Amino acid sequence: MLRRGRALLEVLRAWSEEQRHRAVTTAMFVEHAERVTGEDLGELFEAWLSAVELPPLPA
């Protein structure tokens, strides 16, 4: 899952290399994160980007 440290770091590293100095969208980042992790992250991004209230932070 993206919330694990290594997966998140890999998503961010690859994103910064591939998209440096480009105009991008949130949808492009979501697609990128799903491609890099091989997971459907729709629920995660829906909760953090579209929900009125933020989800609780993990303890």
Side-chain angles (χ1 to χ4, degrees), residues 27-49:
M28 290 169 65
F29 180 76
V30 171
E31 290 174 16
H32 166 81
E34 291 182 331
R35 179 174 45 81
V36 170
T37 63
E39 297 181 36
D40 178 0
L41 301 171
E43 284 187 31
L44 174 71
F45 285 112
E46 179 70 25
W48 282 98
L49 301 176

Side-chain angles (χ1 to χ4, degrees), residues 5-26:
R6 287 185 183 168
L8 177 58
L9 290 176
E10 177 57 24
V11 166
L12 296 176
R13 184 199 60 74
W15 177 255
S16 66
E17 287 179 6
E18 294 172 17
Q19 303 302 331
R20 185 170 303 213
H21 305 297
R22 294 184 181 169
V24 296
T25 65
T26 302

